[in-house]
Amino acid sequence: MSEQLQLNVWLPKHKREQYIFIYKKLQEKFATTMETLFNDIEGSANKYKAKLVEEYGTAYNYEVVDPSDIFENIEMETYEFYKAEKLMEYNYHLSLLATTYQIFEQQLRGFIYSELNHRTSPIRTKDEFSKFGFNMGQIKEAYEFINYDLTKTSQWETVEL
């Protein structure tokens, strides 16, 4: 027969607000950074193109070199500049999402650890916090205590990789 155990957790308002605060600050920093770095990618590309036109305008002897080749090269370089800027914007956005997820995961891991090891908790972990929540076998076993099979979830294949 399995043993049933009830664990009550408490998330005080100030702790909840502390957890949320970092996400609000990340949103503010993200907005500021996006505005600063990627405000007008098209305009930046046009400025880059103007710089190339000026630069290439005096770099070649147009009696020897076909001007259409130069302008085609300018268009290609401008397009590559634009693509690079868009890629940086996209990667910055994704890196912030990954950072946000990692912060959330660490907050959740810390909260669960502190609640399991709270002085009134009937449960104690064997691991120090630095090792808590990293072993998927142990996590799977913990869920088995509440009759929940992680391997039956749609995400299990991704987690197992």
Side-chain angles (χ1 to χ4, degrees):
M1 207 167 243
S2 65
E3 181 182 335
Q4 189 173 25
L5 188 63
Q6 182 175 341
L7 181 65
N8 295 316
V9 296
W10 175 251
L11 181 59
K13 184 179 179 184
H14 75 278
K15 192 70 168 172
R16 180 179 179 275
E17 289 171 355
Q18 182 183 10
Y19 284 150
I20 293 170
F21 178 77
I22 192 165
Y23 296 102
K24 289 181 179 177
K25 290 314 252 178
L26 276 172
Q27 286 174 333
E28 289 173 16
K29 290 290 184 189
F30 177 76
T32 302
T33 305
M34 290 299 281
E35 181 67 25
T36 303
L37 296 177
F38 307 110
N39 179 33
D40 185 15
I41 293 174
E42 290 81 9
S44 294
N46 287 331
K47 286 178 186 174
Y48 182 75
K49 181 179 179 179
K51 181 181 142 227
L52 290 177
V53 167
E54 183 179 318
E55 190 177 296
Y56 289 176
T58 57
Y60 296 98
N61 179 354
Y62 287 104
E63 291 178 12
V64 178
V65 177
D66 184 359
S68 66
D69 289 342
I70 303 302
F71 285 104
E72 184 178 336
N73 192 26
I74 289 171
E75 288 296 323
M76 290 290 284
E77 283 188 47
T78 302
Y79 177 67
E80 290 301 317
F81 176 88
Y82 176 82
K83 275 188 359 185
E85 289 286 310
K86 288 304 271 184
L87 181 62
M88 285 186 274
E89 177 185 36
Y90 175 77
N91 282 325
Y92 178 74
H93 193 148
L94 289 181
S95 69
L96 185 67
L97 288 174
T99 299
T100 303
Y101 172 79
Q102 196 273 339
I103 291 169
F104 173 73
E105 184 268 333
Q106 290 299 314
Q107 285 179 334
L108 183 59
R109 192 169 74 93
F111 176 70
I112 292 170
Y113 185 85
S114 67
E115 288 299 307
L116 289 176
N117 293 294
H118 190 270
R119 63 181 172 75
T120 61
S121 172
I123 301 172
R124 294 282 183 263
T125 60
K126 297 174 196 165
D127 295 328
E128 294 293 320
F129 177 71
S130 62
K131 299 199 185 298
F132 176 73
F134 284 105
N135 183 319
M136 276 314 290
Q138 290 175 344
I139 292 171
K140 193 171 102 177
E141 284 176 25
Y143 273 94
E144 287 172 0
F145 282 122
I146 58 170
N147 295 324
Y148 187 81
D149 188 356
L150 281 178
T151 61
K152 302 267 191 259
T153 64
S154 60
Q155 298 85 2
W156 183 251
E157 280 185 30
T158 305
V159 169
E160 200 172 33
L161 294 175

